Amino acid sequence: MEKTLEQPSNTGNMTDNLFTRFSAPPLHRNKIFLAPPGRETVTFAQAFDQAGRYAHVLTAQGAKKGDRVAVQVEKSAENIFLYLACLRAGLVYLPLNTGYTASELRYFIGNAEPSIFVCAPRDAQMLTGIFSQGAVLTLGDDGKSGSLLEQAASQSPDFPDAVLGKDDLASILYTSGTTGVSKGAMLTHGNLWSNAEVLRQLWHFSHDDVLLHALPIFHIHGLFVAINICLAARASIILLPRFDIEEIFRSLPSATVMMGVPTFYVRLLQDSRLGRETAGHMRLFVSGSAPLLAETHREWSAKTGQAILERYGMTETNMNTSNPYAGVRKPGSVGFPLPGTDLRIADGDGKPLPQGEIGMIEVRGPNVFAGYWRMPEKTAAEFRADGFFITGDLGMIDGDGYVHIVGRAKDLIISGGFNVYPKEIESLIDELPGVTESAVIGLPHKDFGEGVTAVVVLNKGATLTQDQVLSAIKDRLAKFKQPKAVLFTDAFPRNALGKVQKNLLRDQYKDLYA
Ligand code: AMP
């Protein structure tokens, strides 16, 4: 891949349109942007020109600045061109998990009121049944078919980018909605640019980088962290449709960076091919979106010689913290607040707590979203008067300034009036020989309010009983934290990003102490 690019300059733009910034000179138009295995590579020029054609198609359908473009199609280069087309035209890109069914789509359509819906050709008929207020366009899974492409073929690649301010919306991402209704997080051009720039610099991204991309692109991690940093750095992307271990090993030799969720790392560790020969050349491995076990971090270092860099973020805030690029990447920690982002650990009223105490993580900065789409009360309820966003994550800051996440506030267990933080117990159980992983949850209990309960997945062939688990951790935990029951299961329910869905576990076992 060509190596003659200079770094983009960050100043002097007349507009805050993210696309205009990404395509600002100096740009080597013939450099490879996307390399999807088994398909032709795409240069920056080709991607930007195709985005121009798509932008013409979208605006010809009547879409105007600020209109939502809902997109439920598979990951492909063309889906990324569509994202860029929305940026160019000042439209709001609204990606939807490809797993959503018609009844779920009805909610998103009703809430977001898009003016265009882009779906797979096989879903067009169903969509026209539930979406009458705008145009339906199609894009095939292979990115090679569909009405979007047909209409784009006759369009000009030149498109006048919308002149935008930093507060104009670039995207709405719906939260996964595991508790209550799914909310549309409004992300602005300013939010996305600031986060991409900070991370590009912090993680030393350059045009020499080649990112191995196996994450979904309907989520903040695969879409904005991964793609926007590469656009800002003019780095190349090996675009895999999904996480496929064979493809990962085939692609690793040409990559310099991989971004993944913890399950990627756990699965790669189980493969005997992983070692210094296959992964030692990489510049950086990044993990986020769910907790990376300290043990996984250590095992990875021992096998590959590479310390995974763990960072912490969420749909509403983009990235908030990162372990250092140069310096100690502490296993079990998510590192320091990003430059420009204020982070505090607060009590229930938003009052900062002394260092070392556990409390609510609150953040403020240019990365934090503009609120929930058409939900002013929900937005108001999650911001403090001084502008801090209440993340819903519990954490603490250690003596070296590193942030540690202890769990979601809604997962906090209150047993007999005492606060019990699941992660403390999970870490002890995870250390036991034979344990793959554990999830500690609170279940309704008539004496204690909630009964601390451990659900455990064992390694293949391992045998461990409730009594063995309990006696192994008994001396290391106060009585009120000790699980009242230990249950065993084959696997945890997880969402698309690999997060354990504790709400489903709580549902499954809700009558245990009844
Ligand atoms: P999402 O909005 O789907 O990206 O989910 C955001 C949530 O994922 C955060 O509020 C955290 O609870 C969790 N999360 C993200 N990164 C990490 C991490 N490195 N360690 C632990 N939890 C994380």
Side-chain angles (χ1 to χ4, degrees), residues 447-458:
D447 297 332
F448 296 97
E450 285 185 295
V452 180
T453 309
V455 190
V456 178
V457 176
L458 295 179

Side-chain angles (χ1 to χ4, degrees), residues 188-498:
T188 65
H189 283 254
N191 291 149
L192 299 181
W193 174 253
S194 71
N195 216 229
E197 262 305 285
V198 164
L199 295 173
R200 176 183 74 77
Q201 292 177 31
L202 202 68
W203 295 346
H204 293 214
F205 261 78
S206 80
H207 54 269
D208 287 335
D209 274 312
V210 180
L211 175 77
L212 182 47
H213 192 305
L215 293 160
I217 59 168
F218 50 72
H219 185 268
I220 193 121
H221 192 170
L223 181 59
F224 297 140
V225 183
I227 294 173
N228 286 352
I229 293 178
C230 288
L231 282 162
R234 281 70 192 276
S236 304
I237 298 177
I238 301 174
L239 194 71
L240 304 187
R242 65 192 65 79
F243 181 84
D244 173 303
I245 208 138
E246 297 307 317
E247 281 291 358
I248 296 278
F249 279 110
R250 249 196 300 278
S251 303
L252 269 173
S254 1
T256 63
V257 182
M258 187 177 89
M259 292 184 190
V261 289
T263 36
F264 285 15
Y265 294 102
V266 171
R267 285 172 61 191
L268 284 164
L269 274 168
Q270 289 161 354
D271 195 298
S272 59
R273 287 170 289 183
L274 185 78
R276 281 169 198 262
E277 323 68 51
T278 43
H281 68 283
M282 292 283 280
R283 186 176 72 73
L284 184 63
F285 285 102
V286 178
S287 176
S289 296
L292 180 77
L293 295 181
E295 190 192 324
T296 309
H297 191 291
R298 292 196 189 96
E299 258 186 73
W300 189 271
S301 293
K303 268 210 169 159
T304 67
Q306 299 267 358
I308 299 172
L309 182 153
E310 185 172 8
R311 95 297 178 280
Y312 156 61
M314 63 195 303
T315 304
E316 289 92 332
T317 63
N318 296 279
M319 300 306 104
N320 295 314
T321 73
S322 169
N323 268 280
Y325 184 77
V328 178
R329 301 178 191 164
K330 257 193 203 182
S333 146
V334 293
F336 305 114
L338 298 182
T341 297
D342 299 325
L343 183 148
R344 69 185 179 199
I345 306 292
D347 68 9
D349 300 321
K351 201 162 91 348
L353 291 168
Q355 182 267 313
E357 284 195 24
I358 292 174
M360 177 64 74
I361 302 179
E362 300 187 351
V363 293
R364 183 174 66 183
N367 52 314
V368 176
F369 75 141
Y372 295 113
W373 173 256
R374 290 188 179 158
M375 294 184 181
E377 297 83 20
K378 286 204 164 47
T379 304
E382 296 191 25
F383 278 92
R384 301 279 179 208
D386 58 1
F388 275 84
F389 174 68
I390 307 165
T391 63
D393 290 313
L394 295 170
M396 67 98 166
I397 300 179
D398 69 19
D400 302 322
Y402 286 74
V403 177
H404 296 251
I405 297 179
V406 178
R408 293 288 294 164
K410 65 179 192 299
D411 293 334
L412 172 73
I413 304 168
I414 303 180
S415 188
F418 292 107
N419 284 0
V420 180
Y421 299 99
K423 174 130 186 239
E424 184 185 0
I425 306 160
E426 288 161 4
S427 304
L428 291 180
I429 298 180
D430 291 343
E431 279 174 21
L432 302 179
V435 171
T436 309
E437 56 182 342
S438 63
V440 169
I441 53 175
L443 297 175
H445 192 293
K446 57 182 180 331
D447 297 332
F448 296 97
E450 285 185 295
V452 180
T453 309
V455 190
V456 178
V457 176
L458 295 179
N459 298 344
K460 259 207 195 88
T463 52
L464 209 57
T465 62
Q466 163 164 289
D467 288 349
Q468 285 169 320
V469 172
L470 291 177
S471 67
I473 61 176
K474 171 162 106 314
D475 295 338
R476 301 174 66 185
L477 281 179
K479 189 97 175 55
F480 71 92
K481 297 181 192 168
Q482 291 176 18
K484 310 237 166 322
V486 180
L487 310 170
F488 295 90
T489 186
D490 290 340
F492 291 139
R494 290 181 190 276
N495 72 7
L497 269 288

